[in-house]
Amino acid sequence: MGETTDTAGEWVTVDAQTRRRILAHTPEMMVVEVEFQPGGVGAEHSHPHLQSSYVKSGTFTYTIAGKTQTLTEGDGVVVPANARHSAETATGGSLIDVFTPAREDFLPA
């Protein structure tokens, strides 16, 4: 197994209402905190990684493969690999996302 980062990485601005930081990773798995301001949107997208999302704070409307659900603090969801998905929050809040394998596109250059 590859080396694991021991401390959280630097915050990376995704857009005006969203930022993320890598909390830990190996080549096999990555843990990322994503922080949203009120009205923040994670636009619909897909990727080949299996993903789980845990709501650390706030309330999110999460859509996975056309099915929408409301998630609040303490809730979690699994996003299958390649599934189209999005998230938005009126309240603002934070998600803890876990990806397997790691999102190499999130690693610093």
Side-chain angles (χ1 to χ4, degrees), residues 1-87:
M1 185 157 52
E3 278 189 41
T4 302
T5 59
D6 292 328
T7 59
E10 296 294 319
W11 285 104
V12 173
T13 300
V14 176
D15 60 37
Q17 296 174 303
T18 312
R19 66 183 188 157
R20 71 170 180 253
R21 66 181 173 157
I22 297 170
L23 298 177
H25 72 90
T26 68
E28 298 84 13
M29 183 176 289
M30 178 178 280
V31 181
V32 178
E33 181 175 10
V34 186
E35 192 175 84
F36 294 84
Q37 296 301 311
V41 175
E44 185 179 60
H45 65 286
S46 66
H47 43 73
H49 312 82
L50 179 63
Q51 174 181 340
S52 69
S53 292
Y54 168 79
V55 181
K56 179 178 173 184
S57 64
T59 299
F60 289 83
T61 301
Y62 226 103
T63 302
I64 304 168
K67 295 184 180 181
T68 300
Q69 58 190 307
T70 299
L71 302 174
T72 60
E73 186 174 329
D75 289 340
V77 67
V78 173
V79 180
N82 299 308
R84 304 279 311 159
H85 59 285
S86 63

Side-chain angles (χ1 to χ4, degrees), residues 82-105:
N82 299 308
R84 304 279 311 159
H85 59 285
S86 63
E88 59 184 272
T89 177
T91 64
S94 292
L95 298 174
I96 303 297
D97 289 337
V98 178
F99 300 96
T100 184
R103 293 283 305 258
E104 290 188 17
D105 56 319

